[in-house]
């Protein structure tokens, strides 16, 4: 078996033509859909970027126990299991610089080898002690510019001084390195190649030829990095921001097309599996919001694309699966491709059976640490928030106390205790760290970041845009009971139930129907 896994970041499902998107031509995603199974009800798990990747690698939800952080000593990462149990070689090609920050430094080392392409967003790549700040200030919109060092905005404008031609763009280099791997290894057996690019994550920077079809006539400074929060820009500014996102999606489609051409050229369809997905979506003004992390987890963020070509199931090419799936299914799927059993702690299911529509789960649980707990069942979504985000009792459970950019602060750790092992920690006791308002995660992607906090239920059949919350006690009670069951199966800590006023005992179903 040979596997190519393509992972984009912030790729909106509803922008792709196989899912009905019309604003951006995506002919290569159409080509892929003709060769693959297209999954219609595929959801995220833990969010945002690195929590999503921890789910993908370990096959279990992590957002109920901790926020953004490294893989833990007890985690089962599928590349390591492939190596240990079946001798399968794994190679990672990525420009996702979060892997090299404090909060992601244990991920890439799980692969047999890796290639890191520099330059995306705030990657601390190019060193300019005295940039031409005044020239750069004139080039970039004030909302995406600062002279303060060690900030993503300032590092990004420096990095972009060195990204001039199309070949310089990190995503282009990622796919080029992927082709290098295939040139050397495509005739070998038992390998997995992960080609992962940060695009179309913000800032929406693409070569000019991809922007031309979406030209808005904007004459202001570079505006391709939206704020995280409510829309307050003028209409023409919003259109420019969206147009730049469209341009990066078009570039991603082009790069995917180059990979499909490679599969065609060397007839890899007959013996190589291809999996294409993303970590989450991105709001472009829908629900009056930009981005993620600040709002309820609407479908635009939580429901994501997934395509799988399995050469062992050629009759499934061009079909669709309506099974309810999510990101935690990827790890057991990659293991299954090579005949390796999933680890006992994994909560996901192999997607190979669900390609034909087999139903393996009643609901998909997802969320941000410290925010709502959300559930989708294919018909409804239910989003349950704590009564008071600021006053909730919540702890992080970890043996790797780091945030994105730095270790946990001494203030956070001062009141830390030791928790008994969870069912998935292989006997290891964990630090139990109280969440405090001064935590670096609190106002970034934690409780203090959220601008919406009202529990709501949506019927996706009658209200696919999630515009009108539904008042239906019967459905809410049913979904609450299912949520409790899934949280218990995840061995969620007791306060995860208390903060949402949920029963933790076996009486959950009785309690919500009385």
């Amino acid at each position: 078996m040979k596997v190519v896994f393509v992972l984009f970041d912030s790729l909106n499902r509803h922008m792709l033509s196989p899912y009905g998107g019309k604003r951006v031509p995506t002919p290569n995603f159409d080509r892929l859909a003709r060769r693959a199974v297209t999954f219609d009800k595929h959801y995220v798990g833990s969010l945002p970027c690195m929590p999503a990747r921890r789910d993908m690698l370990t096959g279990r939800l992590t957002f109920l126990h901790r926020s953004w952080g490294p893989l833990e000593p007890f985690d089962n990462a599928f590349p390591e299991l492939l190596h240990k149990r079946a001798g399968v070689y794994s190679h990672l090609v990525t420009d996702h610089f979060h892997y090299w920050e404090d909060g992601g430094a244990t991920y890439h080392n799980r692969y047999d080898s890796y290639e890191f392409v520099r330059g995306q967003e705030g990657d601390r790549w190019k060193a300019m002690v005295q940039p031409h700040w005044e020239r750069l200030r004139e080039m970039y919109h004030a909302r995406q510019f600062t002279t303060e060092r060690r900030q993503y905005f300032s590092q990004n404008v420096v990095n972009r001084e060195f990204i001039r031609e199309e070949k310089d763009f990190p995503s282009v280099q990622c796919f080029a390195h992927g082709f290098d791997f295939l040139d050397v290894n495509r005739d070998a057996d038992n390998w997995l190649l992960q080609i992962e690019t940060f695009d179309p994550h913000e800032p929406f920077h693409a070569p000019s030829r991809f922007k031309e079809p979406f030209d808005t006539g904007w004459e202001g400074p570079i505006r391709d990095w939206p704020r995280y929060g409510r829309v307050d820009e003028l209409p023409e500014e919003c259109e420019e921001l969206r147009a730049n996102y469209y341009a990066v999606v078009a570039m991603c489609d082009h790069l995917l097309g180059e990979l499909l051409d490679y599969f065609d050229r060397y007839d890899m369809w007959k013996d190589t599996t291809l999996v294409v997905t993303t970590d989450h979506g991105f709001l472009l003004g829908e629900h009056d919001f930009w981005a993620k992390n600040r709002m309820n987890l609407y479908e635009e963020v939580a429901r994501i694309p997934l395509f799988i070509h399995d050469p062992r199931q050629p009759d499934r090419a061009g079909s669709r699966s309506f099974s309810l799936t999510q990101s935690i299914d990827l790890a057991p799927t990659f293991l299954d491709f090579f005949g390796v059993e999933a680890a006992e702690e994994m909560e996901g299911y192999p997607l190979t059976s669900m390609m034909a529509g087999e139903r393996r789960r009643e609901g998909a649980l997802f969320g941000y640490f410290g925010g709502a707990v959300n559930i989708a069942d294919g018909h409804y979504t239910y989003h349950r928030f704590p009564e008071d985000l600021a006053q909730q009792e919540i702890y992080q459970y970890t043996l790797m106390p780091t945030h994105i950019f730095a270790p946990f602060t001494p203030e956070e750790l001062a009141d830390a205790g030791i928790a008994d092992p969870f069912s998935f920690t292989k006997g290891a006791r964990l630090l139990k760290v109280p969440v405090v308002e001064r935590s670096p995660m609190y106002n970034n992607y934690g409780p203090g970041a959220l601008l919406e906090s009202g529990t709501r239920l949506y019927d996706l059949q009658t209200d696919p845009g999630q515009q009108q919350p539904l008042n239906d006690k019967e459905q809410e009670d049913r979904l609450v009971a299912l949520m409790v069951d899934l949280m218990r199966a995840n061995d969620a800590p007791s306060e995860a139930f208390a903060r949402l006023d949920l029963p933790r005992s076996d009486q959950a179903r009785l309690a919500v129907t009385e």
Side-chain angles (χ1 to χ4, degrees):
M1 174 60 75
K2 312 170 189 181
V3 176
V4 177
F5 174 31
V6 178
L7 180 60
F8 294 100
D9 192 305
S10 307
L11 179 65
N12 280 338
R13 172 188 184 275
H14 60 285
M15 290 287 173
L16 306 180
S17 44
Y19 291 103
K22 299 184 184 302
R23 185 64 185 87
V24 183
T26 55
N28 293 302
F29 280 96
D30 284 330
R31 286 174 63 192
L32 173 62
R34 290 192 290 270
R35 289 278 195 174
V37 175
T38 300
F39 286 76
D40 274 288
K41 296 179 180 179
H42 187 59
Y43 280 84
V44 299
S46 307
L47 293 178
C49 299
M50 295 316 295
R53 282 158 180 78
R54 188 178 172 201
D55 282 11
M56 292 181 199
L57 262 69
T58 66
R60 62 172 295 107
L61 298 170
T62 62
F63 77 94
L64 292 169
H65 297 89
R66 75 152 297 165
S67 64
W68 184 306
L71 288 177
E72 300 276 352
F74 48 80
D75 281 340
N76 294 297
F78 75 79
E80 278 195 327
L81 293 178
L82 287 175
H83 167 75
K84 292 176 180 178
R85 298 182 180 179
V88 175
Y89 192 96
S90 59
H91 181 63
L92 171 68
V93 179
T94 183
D95 59 5
H96 201 283
F97 68 100
H98 292 317
Y99 283 124
W100 276 260
E101 293 173 321
D102 288 308
T106 58
Y107 288 74
H108 60 283
N109 294 302
R110 309 283 70 81
Y111 297 80
D112 289 285
S113 53
Y114 49 84
E115 185 90 44
F116 179 33
V117 177
R118 306 297 303 271
Q120 286 281 23
E121 199 194 51
D123 176 22
R124 296 184 186 181
W125 177 38
K126 290 299 186 182
M128 293 180 69
V129 177
Q130 293 182 314
H132 301 288
W133 287 127
E134 293 312 309
R135 177 178 63 83
L136 293 169
R137 189 190 305 276
E138 292 179 1
M139 289 176 58
Y140 291 89
H141 193 280
R143 279 190 165 176
Q144 61 183 85
F145 179 84
T146 181
T147 61
E148 187 177 345
R149 305 316 291 259
R150 299 200 178 192
Q151 297 294 315
Y152 279 178
F153 286 159
S154 60
Q155 186 63 57
N156 179 254
V157 299
V158 170
N159 289 347
R160 282 164 73 158
E161 291 290 284
F162 298 87
I163 301 173
R164 297 291 188 178
E165 301 178 45
E166 187 166 325
K167 65 179 178 60
D168 300 329
F169 279 75
S171 56
V172 174
Q173 294 185 58
C174 276
F175 276 79
H177 286 301
F179 297 139
D180 289 342
F181 175 91
L182 293 175
D183 285 343
V184 173
N185 298 291
R186 67 172 179 269
D187 294 329
D189 199 10
N190 287 332
W191 51 258
L192 180 144
L193 166 65
Q194 182 170 329
I195 303 175
E196 176 179 347
T197 177
F198 200 61
D199 287 328
H201 191 289
E202 76 283 357
F204 309 137
H205 183 208
S208 58
R209 71 182 180 101
F210 295 106
K211 175 65 185 302
E212 288 169 2
F214 309 105
D215 182 37
T216 66
W218 174 260
E219 296 182 354
I222 293 170
R223 190 71 177 106
D224 55 16
W225 197 331
R227 295 176 311 106
Y228 280 41
R230 293 196 181 278
V231 175
D232 67 357
E233 294 82 359
L234 294 172
E236 57 267 28
E237 192 174 340
C238 293
E239 288 305 310
E240 176 66 8
L241 285 164
R242 281 189 279 267
N244 282 305
Y245 179 83
Y246 302 155
V248 185
V249 171
M251 177 174 65
C252 291
D253 181 79
H254 168 76
L255 293 170
L256 175 65
E258 291 190 333
L259 178 62
L260 302 185
D261 291 344
Y262 195 102
F263 266 63
D264 289 342
R265 187 178 311 123
Y266 297 104
D267 196 20
M268 293 178 63
W269 300 106
K270 67 183 180 183
D271 64 2
T272 306
T273 296
L274 178 58
V275 178
V276 179
T277 189
T278 190
D279 54 355
H280 51 69
F282 194 90
L283 288 169
L284 294 166
E286 300 92 343
H287 308 281
D288 200 33
F289 279 106
W290 293 114
K292 56 185 190 289
N293 296 4
R294 303 288 185 266
M295 67 297 295
N296 182 61
L297 272 172
Y298 296 106
E299 289 280 278
E300 290 87 352
V301 177
R303 192 173 176 185
I304 55 177
L306 172 64
F307 305 88
I308 298 180
H309 161 75
D310 185 346
R312 302 168 303 178
Q313 300 189 50
D315 57 318
R316 303 234 57 85
S319 66
R320 304 185 84 92
S321 172
F322 298 95
S323 297
L324 186 61
T325 62
Q326 59 180 142
S327 295
I328 57 174
D329 296 328
L330 289 173
T333 300
F334 291 132
L335 296 173
D336 184 64
F337 286 147
F338 294 95
V340 176
E341 284 191 24
E344 182 180 353
E345 296 83 9
M346 289 184 173
E347 299 174 293
Y349 303 102
L351 291 158
T352 42
S353 66
M354 292 185 278
M355 290 174 69
E358 181 181 349
R359 180 174 176 172
R360 299 296 299 271
R361 61 164 52 87
E362 291 184 64
L365 206 65
F366 55 96
Y368 296 107
F369 176 81
V373 174
N374 313 271
I375 190 168
D377 70 353
H379 188 136
Y380 297 91
T381 64
Y382 179 60
H383 313 264
R384 191 175 182 98
F385 284 85
E387 183 176 351
D388 187 336
L389 284 166
Q391 297 300 318
Q392 60 179 315
E393 181 182 14
I394 187 169
Y395 302 90
Q396 304 221 48
Y397 296 87
T398 182
L399 289 174
M400 305 287 290
T402 64
H403 297 295
I404 300 181
F405 311 114
F408 279 35
T409 64
E411 180 186 12
E412 290 178 274
L413 296 172
D415 294 322
I418 301 295
D420 288 335
F422 288 93
S423 60
F424 54 88
T425 64
K426 302 176 183 175
R429 304 174 74 191
L430 308 185
L431 285 172
K432 181 181 180 180
V433 186
V435 171
V436 297
E437 189 171 354
R438 291 182 63 186
S439 165
M441 55 77 63
Y442 193 87
N443 292 307
N444 187 1
Y445 50 89
L450 287 163
L451 299 175
E452 290 188 303
S453 59
T455 293
R456 71 282 304 271
L457 168 71
Y458 294 105
D459 183 339
L460 299 180
Q461 303 300 310
T462 61
D463 180 24
Q466 296 174 300
Q467 298 297 317
Q468 299 293 328
L470 184 67
N471 183 12
D472 187 329
K473 187 176 187 304
E474 180 181 357
Q475 292 300 336
E476 183 173 6
D477 287 349
R478 180 183 64 83
L479 290 168
V480 164
L482 182 55
M483 178 180 288
V484 169
D485 286 349
L486 293 172
M487 290 173 65
R488 290 176 62 225
N490 181 251
D491 201 4
S494 59
E495 71 274 5
F497 297 85
R499 62 189 280 268
L500 299 174
D501 193 24
L502 292 174
R504 190 175 190 271
S505 72
D506 292 328
Q507 300 301 314
R509 290 190 180 276
L510 177 62
V512 297
T513 55
E514 287 179 344

